[in-house]
Amino acid sequence: MRPLTEQDIRNSFINCSKGEAKRLAIPRDLAERPWNDLDFLGWRDPGAPDRSYLVTERGDRLVGVTLRFPSSQRGFLHRSMCSLCMTTHPGDGVRLMTARKAGAAGREGNSVGLYMCADLACSLYVRGKKVPESVLRVEESLTVEEQIARATGNLAAFLDKLYA
């Protein structure tokens, strides 16, 4: 992924108003992000514990999505798998992230959801740059490149549902 500026990020959102995009919390460490290892930029809102954001490249344009997730307390022995990167996490390491649909459907309250890594570090898990807490990643027969393609394909399918 190419490095993004704050303005790039704010202009990319498809499922919130321009005013909402202007007010949302942007990461302060954009210059330090490992852009070459990212398929999307994802972050949690430090001021709103139930909100996250995701920005990715689709063709020649950026697409940003606001996400919400319910607060839940799962036991440490409970394990869940991310639908994007297929990484298993204990406890609340995977959350159901919901996104309001784009356009009129979203204004009517329609949304879609996907189980994702709560820290939105899917790109780093796939590449082995980050290891899930106290759980080993399942060994796969796919190459890293094939796993990246699967994860980006899963993300694209989720984003397509925002327009449907």
Side-chain angles (χ1 to χ4, degrees), residues 1 29 39 55 58 65 92 117 127 142:
M1 180 167 201
D29 64 345
D39 303 307
V55 177
R58 291 203 77 188
V65 179
D92 287 336
C117 295
R127 289 167 173 80
L142 299 177

Side-chain angles (χ1 to χ4, degrees), residues 1-14 24-27 30 35 38-43 52-58 61-67 116 120 123 155 159:
M1 180 167 201
R2 69 180 170 90
L4 302 178
T5 66
E6 180 177 339
Q7 198 57 47
D8 291 335
I9 294 168
R10 292 193 189 282
N11 291 338
S12 71
F13 285 91
I14 62 167
L24 61 84
I26 302 291
L30 291 176
W35 295 104
L38 297 180
D39 303 307
F40 63 87
L41 172 65
W43 72 99
S52 291
Y53 308 100
L54 183 148
V55 177
T56 190
E57 296 171 312
R58 291 203 77 188
R61 96 179 242 232
L62 290 174
V63 175
V65 179
T66 61
L67 302 162
M116 297 174 62
L120 300 167
S123 302
L155 178 58
L159 295 174

Side-chain angles (χ1 to χ4, degrees), residues 9-147:
I9 294 168
R10 292 193 189 282
N11 291 338
S12 71
F13 285 91
I14 62 167
N15 67 340
C16 68
S17 70
K18 289 183 181 182
E20 289 171 313
K22 187 176 181 180
R23 291 186 300 273
L24 61 84
I26 302 291
R28 296 174 193 237
D29 64 345
L30 291 176
E32 289 85 47
R33 294 287 173 135
W35 295 104
N36 290 335
D37 292 322
L38 297 180
D39 303 307
F40 63 87
L41 172 65
W43 72 99
R44 306 243 331 237
D45 189 327
D50 66 336
R51 288 193 202 143
S52 291
Y53 308 100
L54 183 148
V55 177
T56 190
E57 296 171 312
R58 291 203 77 188
D60 61 348
R61 96 179 242 232
L62 290 174
V63 175
V65 179
T66 61
L67 302 162
R68 289 187 170 252
F69 55 91
S71 60
S72 65
Q73 294 292 336
R74 291 189 176 160
F76 188 75
L77 296 177
H78 180 86
R79 305 256 188 273
S80 299
M81 182 179 283
C82 174
S83 298
L84 283 184
C85 66
M86 305 302 167
T87 300
T88 303
H89 294 274
D92 287 336
V94 171
R95 296 287 189 88
L96 175 62
M97 304 276 185
T98 58
R100 198 169 51 198
K101 285 188 157 200
R107 288 189 293 276
E108 292 173 5
N110 296 322
S111 63
V112 294
L114 184 72
Y115 286 95
M116 297 174 62
C117 295
D119 63 2
L120 300 167
C122 300
S123 302
L124 301 178
Y125 290 122
V126 168
R127 289 167 173 80
K129 305 281 182 174
K130 189 169 184 179
V131 178
E133 183 182 316
S134 74
V135 176
L136 294 176
R137 240 180 137 245
V138 176
E139 190 171 324
E140 296 193 56
S141 59
L142 299 177
T143 65
V144 171
E145 290 75 23
E146 291 170 328
Q147 291 177 52

